[in-house]
Amino acid sequence: MDKTVNQKAWFLVLPVFLVVAFSAVLPLMTVVNYSMQDTFGNNQFFWNGVGWFKELLDPSTDLGGRFLASLGRNLFFSLVILAIEVPLGIVVALSMPREGWTVAACLVILALPLLIPWNVVGTIWQIFGRPDIGLLGYTLNAMGLDYNYVSNDVDAWITVIVMDVWHWTSLVALLCYAGLKSIPEAYYQAAQIDGASRWAVFKAIQLPKMNRVLLIAVLLRFMDSFMIYTEPFVVTGGGPGNSTTFVSIELVKIALGQFDLGKAAALSLVYNLIILIVCWIFYTVMTNAGVERKVQASSEPAVEPKPSAALKPVPALKPKEGVA
């Protein structure tokens, strides 16, 4: 039976392409235009070519040094966040109930941090960590710990990391819980009959079923953590000094604080390109790893079961001579 091809369906998608072109492509081309030019104000621009990109990637320049330093902070922050939130989210998802009224209660409690706007989260932790009026800061100082995220680099980093873990671990837990709910109950029953341990059930049943949702969780958390701006800006303002100044904060300082549109446009394009490349690497590596596991499992030779001694055929008895 021939399939009917209707090209008129493209007219239904055309408005979407127009909206995307207006809201994404045109601003992107404007940024590309600014990255190739320089201005001294009064809406007068001068052609600069790839000069800003050369300066941006040169560690000896002021712009290049600031960019590479903030990029290193971003990468370190994202790695720490992934190393904490992904395992913690898996543990929380495994600890959640599978049925009953407690399921709804746990889902609502986990969703509460995700419903809070980013600037409100930063304000909450800014007040919560203050050593004079904040509950956390006052308690830590009362215990003898000299905690002050405004003047200490380590305290500022710990505050920003704990704030992000509190805010976004729920997302990983909810995605992992959705993957666990898709596992049929027959799998657990078969594992129980075989006498599988809790670790064996997690390794052979639960973790393979969570591969896809874990891929989504890692990609989302990496992009969010690498593009983080509002929370650390509200809590620390990028300080003390430049210890928590990430690329996004550096970009805003250059664009709005110094009004260097050419440098800011070049920085934003390189920033966006790095995010796309790293996300592509994450997706490719994790997807290929899943495919290799499937190919390896299918290529293993099947082991034929040896017949048991109780199932061996019994030779027929020959009648004795002289017996009728």
Side-chain angles (χ1 to χ4, degrees), residues 185-226:
E185 190 65 28
Y187 286 23
Y188 296 108
Q189 295 174 358
Q192 186 178 5
I193 293 174
D194 292 340
S197 62
R198 187 71 184 87
W199 170 251
V201 172
F202 171 74
K203 184 179 179 181
I205 298 177
Q206 294 174 331
L207 187 58
K209 290 295 183 181
M210 289 192 297
N211 275 342
R212 292 296 178 181
V213 294
L214 281 178
L215 172 61
I216 298 174
V218 169
L219 289 177
L220 289 178
R221 287 309 306 128
F222 171 77
M223 288 188 294
D224 286 339
S225 62
F226 199 76

Side-chain angles (χ1 to χ4, degrees), residues 155-194:
D155 294 342
W157 268 95
I158 293 176
T159 304
V160 173
I161 290 174
V162 173
M163 174 181 59
D164 195 88
V165 170
W166 173 82
H167 191 193
W168 291 109
T169 302
S170 300
L171 176 63
V172 182
L174 291 175
L175 290 174
C176 293
Y177 184 75
L180 293 174
K181 288 290 289 184
S182 65
I183 301 176
E185 190 65 28
Y187 286 23
Y188 296 108
Q189 295 174 358
Q192 186 178 5
I193 293 174
D194 292 340

Side-chain angles (χ1 to χ4, degrees), residues 115-163:
L115 300 177
I116 305 176
W118 298 334
N119 56 341
V120 178
V121 171
T123 305
I124 291 174
W125 280 87
Q126 182 191 33
I127 300 174
F128 186 56
R130 288 184 58 172
D132 51 353
I133 60 173
L135 178 61
L136 176 64
Y138 182 81
T139 303
L140 292 178
N141 283 276
M143 295 172 58
L145 300 175
D146 188 13
Y147 170 81
N148 192 340
Y149 66 85
V150 178
S151 60
N152 189 285
D153 299 352
V154 177
D155 294 342
W157 268 95
I158 293 176
T159 304
V160 173
I161 290 174
V162 173
M163 174 181 59

Side-chain angles (χ1 to χ4, degrees), residues 18-37:
L18 294 177
V19 171
V20 172
F22 181 76
S23 61
V25 177
L26 294 180
L28 178 62
M29 297 309 297
T30 304
V31 174
V32 173
N33 182 34
Y34 282 167
S35 67
M36 300 291 182
Q37 302 187 56

Side-chain angles (χ1 to χ4, degrees), residues 35-307:
S35 67
M36 300 291 182
Q37 302 187 56
D38 192 7
T39 180
F40 297 104
N42 297 326
N43 203 22
Q44 296 179 359
F45 293 90
F46 308 92
W47 179 256
N48 192 35
V50 295
W52 296 130
F53 294 96
K54 291 181 179 180
E55 184 178 351
L56 182 67
L57 300 178
D58 187 1
S60 61
T61 62
D62 177 67
L63 178 62
R66 293 167 60 182
F67 167 67
L68 294 177
S70 59
L71 180 62
R73 300 186 198 102
N74 257 118
L75 292 174
F76 177 76
F77 178 77
S78 298
L79 291 177
V80 172
I81 288 301
L82 291 177
I84 296 176
E85 293 183 4
V86 174
L88 184 59
I90 294 175
V91 172
V92 173
L94 293 174
S95 304
M96 292 177 61
R98 297 292 184 270
E99 56 184 9
W101 64 270
T102 54
V103 175
C106 291
L107 292 178
V108 171
I109 294 174
L110 284 177
L112 286 178
L114 303 177
L115 300 177
I116 305 176
W118 298 334
N119 56 341
V120 178
V121 171
T123 305
I124 291 174
W125 280 87
Q126 182 191 33
I127 300 174
F128 186 56
R130 288 184 58 172
D132 51 353
I133 60 173
L135 178 61
L136 176 64
Y138 182 81
T139 303
L140 292 178
N141 283 276
M143 295 172 58
L145 300 175
D146 188 13
Y147 170 81
N148 192 340
Y149 66 85
V150 178
S151 60
N152 189 285
D153 299 352
V154 177
D155 294 342
W157 268 95
I158 293 176
T159 304
V160 173
I161 290 174
V162 173
M163 174 181 59
D164 195 88
V165 170
W166 173 82
H167 191 193
W168 291 109
T169 302
S170 300
L171 176 63
V172 182
L174 291 175
L175 290 174
C176 293
Y177 184 75
L180 293 174
K181 288 290 289 184
S182 65
I183 301 176
E185 190 65 28
Y187 286 23
Y188 296 108
Q189 295 174 358
Q192 186 178 5
I193 293 174
D194 292 340
S197 62
R198 187 71 184 87
W199 170 251
V201 172
F202 171 74
K203 184 179 179 181
I205 298 177
Q206 294 174 331
L207 187 58
K209 290 295 183 181
M210 289 192 297
N211 275 342
R212 292 296 178 181
V213 294
L214 281 178
L215 172 61
I216 298 174
V218 169
L219 289 177
L220 289 178
R221 287 309 306 128
F222 171 77
M223 288 188 294
D224 286 339
S225 62
F226 199 76
M227 296 186 299
I228 189 171
Y229 168 75
T230 306
E231 296 96 320
F233 181 77
V234 173
V235 176
T236 64
N242 292 322
S243 58
T244 57
T245 300
F246 301 115
V247 180
S248 57
I249 299 177
E250 195 70 62
L251 176 60
V252 173
K253 287 182 178 180
I254 295 174
L256 301 181
Q258 304 174 7
F259 203 70
D260 289 332
L261 298 181
K263 295 180 181 180
L267 176 57
S268 63
L269 291 177
V270 175
Y271 189 25
N272 187 29
L273 184 61
I274 292 174
I275 295 175
L276 292 177
I277 292 176
V278 176
C279 289
W280 177 79
I281 292 175
F282 265 120
Y283 178 81
T284 303
V285 170
M286 298 184 69
T287 304
N288 291 341
V291 173
E292 289 176 0
R293 283 194 295 267
K294 291 181 181 179
V295 172
Q296 184 179 2
S298 61
S299 62
E300 292 180 355
V303 180
E304 297 182 359
K306 297 181 179 180

